[in-house]
Amino acid sequence: MKRMKVQKTIIVKMLKRNMMKMMIVGLIWESTVRILSRGERTEFEAASDPECSSVYSSHYFVNREDNLGYSKINRKRVSMDLWNLTSEELIESFPLDPIKENYVRQVRDSVFSAVQPAPFKSAVKLVAVSKEVVEDLLDLDVSITKTKEFIQFVSGARVLHGSVPLTHRYGGHQFGVWVGQLGDGRAHLLGVYVNRQGTRWELQLKGSGKTPYSRDGDGRAVVRSSVREFLCSEALNYLGIPTSRAASLIVSNDDVKRDQFYNGDVKNEKGAIVLRVAKSWFRFGSLEILAHSGETELLRKLVDFIIKQHFPLINTTSSNRFLDFFSQVVTDTSYLIAHWMSVGFAHGVCNTDNFSILSVTIDYGPFGFMDFYDPNFVPNTSDDEGRYKIGNQANVGRYNLDKLRNALNPLLDPKQQLLAEEILKGYPDLYQTKLMELFKAKLGLFGHDNDDDYLIAYLLKLMEYTRADFTMTFRQLSEITQQQLEANSISEEYWALQDLARHKKFSHWVNLYLSRLNRNTVDSDEARRTRMKSANPRYILRNWMAESAIRKTERNDFSEVHLLQKILQHPFNKQTDAEEAGYSSRPPPWARELRVSCSS
């Protein structure tokens, strides 16, 4: 114990060293990368190679760590013994639910309840890991994911020292109706980790058992929803869209009963758990529940905490801090939804409890990327009225922000309340400006032209009429030359543009587009195509791709999960494996029959 205390003291001192020393460590790491990139095969690579599996053992990594538990190769931890995960900050900042028993109930005057995860009864299997999340965000060497200790941790079977698992109380407007208390019905916040860059991350298990907020649920998640969340949260990250991250995916043999389409057809499905990582899991509904319950002082404490932790540019002593906070959330939310629209992503359930207060994408449920362009695209079969269709996401964003404004009203004086209304009136312009900026980049346009909005709207209308593929239309415009467009020479490889060219007005749009490109200053066609390829992905997580991976996973075949994970890390680069799998081809006919619901 004495030795451990000494080691912990050393770690604290390391974290307090100045930025210059951190930069030096970074330079050493970059040098290592450059050396390894020359082609030398490391012992770690040999140990990871299935053909050399006999080389691998936990002894290898233990013998190559220093006395602080870091790998000597890449300065990542190869042991979780000294890895510091803590719940102290959250517990000290807010009153905990005083009831310790875990049963469904209405909770008051609390932000969190302390609840232990419920591990699966059957054996679990680690299906997938995000190396980037594990190593770059959590400072753990990816080799640690092979250990029993790690698998127990990410499946809820082991709680680390310093962690007090918490479940969060929040409310929300669902499909336009206030439904009162919701909360983490199947998620456990394991604690906070501050990495070597000083970035704060909250780790949360999803699918880890019942909580006081489970209502009629069983606290579990199933394979199909968990595979989709793991893949899509990572995919959006590599598309450059703010999102929570997924560190790991665990699958069990426990039976979880689900009526997938709410038609009475209950089936047994495999349970699964995703370890999710975000800078914060607070959402609009976190504030709403306190405002609706009249817990004004707790509301003030929560917003002050959020501002202090996550909005460093806001003066925490200013009387206008809550107004400044709202203004920033309005801007960030408008930008997030514009980014969703730029890649054809529909969240599926844009309730206020699913909107992050930090304006990152969270709570992946019945989401979907559009195949052919359709502003009425509804990914969620449970959304009978189409409230959350892709073309209405911006409007729903404004609705949700208005509910956030109402939740903040108890903290604002009458003048500030009027100013908050004025701030919200600026939302449409913020959204439209960002959306046009993104779509101009997708078309390779420089500068400003009064007709740019018309050019973009014209193209989208042609795509709607012809049911042209959204992703591949923009991507193929990035790959085809201006000369080919001028000559109307569109070969089979440009199948989405061929669909678009069926419309009689296509050639007119092409002329407008080429004329606009000619007004780009100091530009070449090659530069234009290179630039556009970096703005238009070739690969997205289409529903049929996720479904194919899910069906294999349910048969204990995880190959397509791994393939998609690899492909979606580089969505803008043409990849042989992806082409062979048909990920940039026309969606197969059976994809039209796919349905996704809120059931998970």
Side-chain angles (χ1 to χ4, degrees), residues 264-303:
D265 185 15
V266 179
K267 295 180 179 179
N268 285 330
E269 302 186 44
K270 288 184 178 181
I273 293 177
V274 175
L275 175 61
R276 313 193 297 181
V277 179
K279 292 182 179 178
S280 173
W281 292 101
F282 290 128
R283 63 263 330 271
F284 289 13
S286 303
L287 278 57
E288 285 186 283
I289 190 67
L290 301 179
H292 275 263
S293 302
E295 299 167 43
T296 304
E297 286 312 305
L298 188 51
L299 172 65
R300 186 188 308 277
K301 182 178 290 188
L302 176 57
V303 180

Side-chain angles (χ1 to χ4, degrees), residues 94 110-111 168-173 178 180-183 280-307 310-311 321-323 325-327 329 352-358 400-412:
F94 306 108
S110 305
V111 175
H168 176 38
R169 170 192 175 216
Y170 54 82
H173 282 80
W178 171 250
Q181 177 180 290
L182 294 166
S280 173
W281 292 101
F282 290 128
R283 63 263 330 271
F284 289 13
S286 303
L287 278 57
E288 285 186 283
I289 190 67
L290 301 179
H292 275 263
S293 302
E295 299 167 43
T296 304
E297 286 312 305
L298 188 51
L299 172 65
R300 186 188 308 277
K301 182 178 290 188
L302 176 57
V303 180
D304 274 334
F305 177 88
I306 292 170
I307 291 172
H310 304 291
F311 294 82
R321 63 189 184 279
F322 302 128
L323 200 62
F325 162 74
F326 180 64
S327 178
V329 176
T352 57
D353 54 291
N354 294 331
F355 261 46
S356 161
I357 209 74
L358 300 191
N400 290 351
L401 286 164
D402 191 46
K403 299 308 174 187
L404 178 63
R405 180 187 63 81
N406 287 336
L408 288 169
N409 269 343
L411 308 181
L412 306 176

